[in-house]
Structures are given as structure tokens and as C-alpha cells.
Amino acid sequence: MSLPKFNNLISLSNNEIAEQIVKAENEIFNLRFKKATRQTFKPHEIKKSKRILAQLKTLLSMRIEESENNEETVINQLIPN
């Protein structure tokens, strides 16, 4: 299974991104647990999950930063210096 494209993640809502973050964190935990208990697992799955998690967190932080910037511009327009 290939990694999802970042463009595909952009179409997700903030709630869906949060759900995907939790899912990715749980998957990483389970894979690390399998590694520690010497169960069979695919090592590349850890890297894949970490990358997906980083993409999701990056997208969410970009959206939060964008919304904060929008709020600041609205406030600056309403309250002249």
C-alpha cells in the first residue's frame, strides 16, 4: 500500500484529520509494541505511519496558523491603530 498524497489529505476536515492522527498514533504504538515483544511485523510500516502522522500534524498546524492570521487581520480591520 502506498502513502497517501498530501493533496488528498488537504480535502479532509479538521475533525477527520484529528481522527486520522489518533489512528496513526495508535498504529505506531502497536507496531512498536510488536517490535518490543518480538512479534512479526513489517518494519517499513513504522516509517510509513510516522510519515503519515507528520503530514497530518503539519496540515493541522498550518490550518490553525491560517485561522489565527485571519482572526488577527479581522481584528486589525475593526480596530484602527
Side-chain angles (χ1 to χ4, degrees):
M1 190 164 133
S2 65
L3 290 170
K5 301 287 184 191
F6 194 72
N7 292 335
N8 296 342
L9 297 176
I10 292 174
S11 64
L12 297 176
S13 70
N14 288 349
N15 290 335
E16 291 173 330
I17 292 173
E19 290 172 6
Q20 292 292 326
I21 288 173
V22 170
K23 183 180 174 184
E25 288 175 342
N26 286 336
E27 186 174 349
I28 292 170
F29 173 79
N30 290 333
L31 290 169
R32 286 183 177 162
F33 192 79
K34 284 183 179 184
K35 181 180 180 182
T37 57
R38 298 183 184 256
Q39 296 178 9
T40 57
F41 74 101
K42 297 178 182 176
H44 70 278
E45 292 291 327
I46 294 175
K47 180 179 178 181
K48 180 182 132 188
S49 297
K50 288 169 103 178
R51 182 171 178 193
I52 291 170
L53 180 62
Q55 288 177 342
L56 290 167
K57 285 186 173 183
T58 300
L59 179 60
L60 191 59
S61 66
M62 285 172 45
R63 287 188 179 177
I64 290 171
E65 185 177 309
E66 183 180 306
S67 68
E68 288 175 354
N69 288 339
N70 288 341
E71 289 175 5
E72 288 177 8
T73 56
V74 168
I75 291 172
N76 288 338
Q77 291 174 352
L78 293 175
I79 304 172
N81 292 334

